[in-house]
Amino acid sequence: MLRDWRRRGLLENFGVLGSNGKWTYAYGDVIALAIMAFLVTRRIASDLGDALHIARAAVPYVVARLEKSTPSLSRYREVGFLAAWANRDGDTMQIEYFSSIGKFAFAVPGYLVVSFDALVAELTPSLPLRDQE
């Protein structure tokens, strides 16, 4: 999957190519790739570019939940949800963050809401912990 995404030009800012021809990735990149793969394989996001945009936007909120003992990430733990939808031009994604969805309503068709807690619960078995880097 990564080779295909790289060939398509989606991973230009991901990883460093080593002299041995192998790629190494930063912790945030690994998290973003895991989220992107989840969104695509579960058919939650059919467009790879949109999946990448959503995944990149979700990274600090997912990392904050994985690293509960890091005080500097507490502000990200206060936000529970990400909402994404296509702008009127159809070419760009709008992303907003919410602490709750109690009064959640949009006047746009076709939006996606991601619960960071649910996403982390789903991905945790396959995500590396930072101290395992």
Side-chain angles (χ1 to χ4, degrees), residues 86-104:
N87 282 325
R88 291 185 192 265
D89 63 14
D91 290 334
T92 58
M93 292 288 293
Q94 177 73 31
I95 294 186
E96 298 290 337
Y97 304 95
F98 299 90
S99 57
S100 72
I101 57 171
K103 296 181 179 179
F104 188 78

Side-chain angles (χ1 to χ4, degrees), residues 27 31-32 34-35 38-39 42 44 55 58-68 73 76-77 79-82 114-129:
Y27 184 65
I31 301 297
I35 296 168
F38 173 78
L39 294 172
R42 294 288 180 92
I44 296 168
V59 166
Y61 302 91
V62 170
V63 170
R65 283 158 175 79
L66 294 172
E67 299 183 10
K68 294 180 177 127
L73 297 174
Y76 293 107
R77 285 188 285 277
V79 177
F81 303 90
L82 170 152
V114 175
S115 162
F116 295 122
D117 289 335
L119 182 61
V120 168
E122 186 71 29
L123 294 178
T124 296
S126 63
L127 292 177
L129 298 175

Side-chain angles (χ1 to χ4, degrees), residues 46-85:
S46 58
D47 182 84
L48 291 173
D50 291 348
L52 175 60
H53 189 69
I54 294 166
R56 282 278 202 198
V59 166
Y61 302 91
V62 170
V63 170
R65 283 158 175 79
L66 294 172
E67 299 183 10
K68 294 180 177 127
S69 63
T70 306
S72 63
L73 297 174
S74 64
R75 67 185 171 126
Y76 293 107
R77 285 188 285 277
E78 295 171 7
V79 177
F81 303 90
L82 170 152
W85 64 93

Side-chain angles (χ1 to χ4, degrees), residues 12-29:
E12 290 180 14
N13 297 316
F14 281 88
V16 175
L17 182 59
S19 59
N20 61 357
K22 295 189 179 194
W23 290 89
T24 56
Y25 298 92
Y27 184 65
D29 290 345

